[in-house]
Amino acid sequence: MKSLLSGMSVLVVDDEPFILETTAFMLDRLGFKNVFTAENALQALGFIDTADPPVGLVLSDLNMPDVDGVELLRQFDERGFEGDIVLFSGEDSRTLNMAESLARARNLSVLGAVSKPLKLDELSVLLAKAGSVLRKTGASAPNLVTPESLAAAIKAGELVPWFQPKIDIVSKEVVAVEALVRWPSKTEGMIFPDQFIPVAEEHGMIDDLTFLLMEKAVATEAEWRRQGVNLKVAVNVSMDSLYDLTFPERIGEYLNKSEGSALQFQLEVTESRLMEDLIGPLDVLLRLRLKKISLSIDDFGTGHSNLTQLRDLPFDELKLDRSFVQGAATDERTRAILESTIMMAKKLGMKIVSEGVETLDDWNLVASLGCDQVQGYFISRPLPGDDIPAWVKNWPTLCESLFPKLED
Ligand code: G
Ligand code: G
Ligand code: MN
């Protein structure tokens, strides 16, 4: 990751020299090289057009004389800027949220919008996912992921699941983990899924990838059980797989053959393309359901979801997307929508999991809204399978330090 980040320029845009200086200092502390500053939007655009290495990350103020941050976003859009963007401002959170939504609507890669003054830990969390330009286009990292290299890695079984714990919000017990694919490449270092899942989908390799992950997740879960750790495991499934009518049989046979029980597995389906044609996926989802595999609708609230789907498709769990959860913390309207979504899903008998819980405040918010489970950096980042049993055993201790003692 660090090596990826050193292959791009980072640009900070603000009309206050002091902010430029402190922000550049924080970025340096976070390990970013090639950090540049611009005092206004025009200077920023000029720099972006000529920078070498290319700009992969921009942190921009919203309030600037002449060309403001909102107009700058429009200019980014017109230029097809593909880098990551962090917005910051002294404006209220509502304005920040609107600017962030606008940037997303323009299909820009927004990592987040934060209020001034920027804080180091806040920035660190936001920037953990920076580098999408390099990961998306491979512009500065040619051949990082090619269909051929990915096919070879799948064939050789190089992809592995890492696991992120899901915690029951009432009992505070670890109830499940989500398997998230990682590619520890011998030549390129760790490669993250947003870099190769789209390649797998485009080149017909996603089923092979899913089954490889499933196989490794089943084996890992069996090993944990031998060590006395019992966890349900959720595996991500691409929508593409749900158009393959043989998918439920293949999963069923697979679980019968292996040590895995269907009751121990859950499939998380991303809803982004669920609406295209419902009949095929409905057929497949229903048969998975008949096989007692629990089904989860992933990334709910990212734009393509709707409540009719919740009624018509056999999901027993709804995973709230982290942008939805984090938006609710600062924006009354998002919160109102979140509240009614949760209420509705509950009435439909679904379990509700919040993703992206990063702080105690996030936890308290989703707890007060009636979520059942929580997943996020506040609890743990995704971990290698070997680390899970020790993590689970240490969880009660960690838990005590995360939650301040209640007076009772
Ligand atoms: O793991 P990360 O934290 O970077 O995950 C990024 C995205 O990649 C997630 O939103 C998830 O939906 C997707 N993803 C992770 N692992 C898998 C997988 O095994 N299969 C599929 N289809 N998607 C995955
Ligand atoms: O499949 P899905 O889109 O739900 O994958 C979850 C993604 O979210 C993974 O990329 C995972 O690494 C990431 N993630 C998990 N917890 C957090 C969190 O608390 N904050 C942020 N920003 N990302 C998270
Ligand atoms: Mn998921």
Side-chain angles (χ1 to χ4, degrees):
M1 189 65 192
K2 283 279 158 62
S3 65
L4 271 181
L5 294 180
S6 62
M8 68 180 191
S9 298
V10 179
L11 181 66
V12 189
V13 194
D14 197 306
D15 54 316
E16 294 174 57
F18 175 70
I19 302 275
L20 289 179
E21 208 173 297
T22 50
T23 311
F25 179 74
M26 285 192 275
L27 288 166
D28 182 63
R29 286 275 308 275
L30 293 172
F32 288 84
K33 304 288 166 241
N34 314 316
V35 177
F36 300 89
T37 58
E39 285 173 18
N40 58 55
L42 290 178
Q43 206 183 355
L45 290 169
F47 181 78
I48 285 173
D49 290 340
T50 55
D52 181 31
V55 176
L57 170 65
V58 174
L59 297 91
S60 176
D61 188 19
L62 283 181
N63 255 340
M64 295 179 287
D66 303 329
V67 178
D68 62 36
V70 176
E71 191 172 344
L72 184 60
L73 290 173
R74 182 172 1 108
Q75 298 280 347
F76 282 168
D77 187 14
E78 278 166 14
R79 267 157 229 253
F81 178 67
E82 289 190 298
D84 296 312
I85 299 167
V86 171
L87 300 170
F88 57 89
S89 170
E91 296 291 323
D92 58 44
S93 61
R94 180 89 193 280
T95 307
L96 272 169
N97 282 326
M98 281 168 58
E100 186 177 350
S101 307
L102 176 65
R104 282 196 213 287
R106 291 193 181 283
N107 259 327
L108 295 166
S109 168
V110 199
L111 298 177
V114 289
S115 50
K116 274 185 182 175
L118 291 174
K119 291 185 240 26
L120 185 64
D121 54 345
E122 209 173 34
L123 207 53
S124 159
V125 171
L126 270 183
L127 297 181
K129 286 229 140 183
S132 74
V133 172
L134 298 171
R135 290 195 253 129
K136 256 194 314 243
T137 64
S140 309
N143 306 326
L144 190 57
V145 175
T146 62
E148 293 74 29
S149 66
L150 180 59
I154 293 175
K155 190 141 179 274
E158 272 185 50
L159 308 191
V160 293
W162 281 31
F163 300 90
Q164 189 178 35
K166 291 183 180 177
I167 306 291
D168 182 282
I169 213 157
V170 176
S171 71
K172 298 212 173 80
E173 274 168 23
V174 192
V175 282
V177 287
E178 176 178 3
L180 293 155
V181 65
R182 298 287 182 265
W183 178 2
S185 156
K186 290 188 189 74
T187 50
E188 311 291 343
M190 186 62 89
I191 311 180
F192 288 83
D194 27 359
Q195 217 178 340
F196 58 85
I197 293 286
V199 179
E201 286 175 343
E202 271 162 41
H203 293 85
M205 295 183 254
I206 193 69
D207 276 0
D208 289 345
L209 186 152
T210 303
F211 277 93
L212 174 63
L213 251 273
M214 192 84 191
E215 181 183 333
K216 294 203 173 184
V218 166
T220 310
E221 189 273 332
E223 176 54 33
W224 295 338
R225 239 183 306 154
R226 278 191 285 277
Q227 298 183 35
V229 173
N230 250 301
L231 295 171
K232 205 168 169 127
V233 180
V235 175
N236 286 286
V237 171
S238 158
M239 270 305 292
D240 292 2
S241 302
L242 302 189
Y243 288 91
D244 169 8
L245 296 176
T246 66
F247 187 73
E249 276 72 46
R250 291 175 62 199
I251 289 274
E253 273 169 29
Y254 185 77
L255 289 175
N256 283 340
K257 238 182 12 215
S258 65
E259 297 175 75
S261 132
L263 293 175
Q264 206 56 7
F265 285 85
Q266 186 169 37
L267 299 180
E268 291 190 7
V269 182
T270 300
E271 43 92 84
S272 56
R273 285 156 55 202
L274 220 48
M275 289 312 287
E276 282 171 17
D277 152 32
L278 275 188
I279 298 194
L282 180 57
D283 182 304
V284 167
L285 288 170
L286 266 175
R287 278 183 299 137
L288 288 166
R289 183 64 185 262
L290 292 174
K291 292 182 191 306
K292 307 283 183 262
I293 293 176
S294 94
L295 300 171
S296 180
I297 182 165
D298 207 354
D299 301 331
F300 195 85
T302 45
H304 297 73
S305 43
N306 72 41
L307 295 165
T308 315
Q309 277 167 254
L310 294 188
R311 186 193 65 196
D312 294 341
L313 295 173
F315 290 107
D316 37 41
E317 180 182 284
L318 180 150
K319 288 191 82 179
L320 297 166
D321 190 69
R322 64 171 173 276
S323 59
F324 200 6
V325 174
Q326 287 166 3
T330 49
D331 183 52
E332 285 290 318
R333 293 160 172 242
T334 306
R335 194 186 159 119
I337 296 168
L338 187 60
E339 273 173 15
S340 50
T341 303
I342 290 174
M343 206 151 65
M344 198 109 49
K346 288 207 150 198
K347 285 199 174 148
L348 294 170
M350 300 173 83
K351 204 165 60 200
I352 297 144
V353 183
S354 282
E355 286 188 309
V357 168
E358 293 179 352
T359 61
L360 181 60
D361 285 347
D362 291 345
W363 173 292
N364 287 334
L365 172 70
V366 299
S368 73
L369 295 177
C371 283
D372 301 292
Q373 291 177 17
V374 158
Q375 193 181 335
Y377 295 166
F378 180 58
I379 310 299
S380 171
R381 289 181 179 260
L383 300 168
D386 288 349
D387 293 355
I388 289 288
W391 188 91
V392 169
K393 283 167 192 162
N394 183 54
W395 165 245
T397 313
L398 175 60
C399 193
E400 271 185 32
S401 70
L402 289 180
F403 298 96
K405 286 263 178 311
L406 292 174
E407 48 351 297
D408 60 352

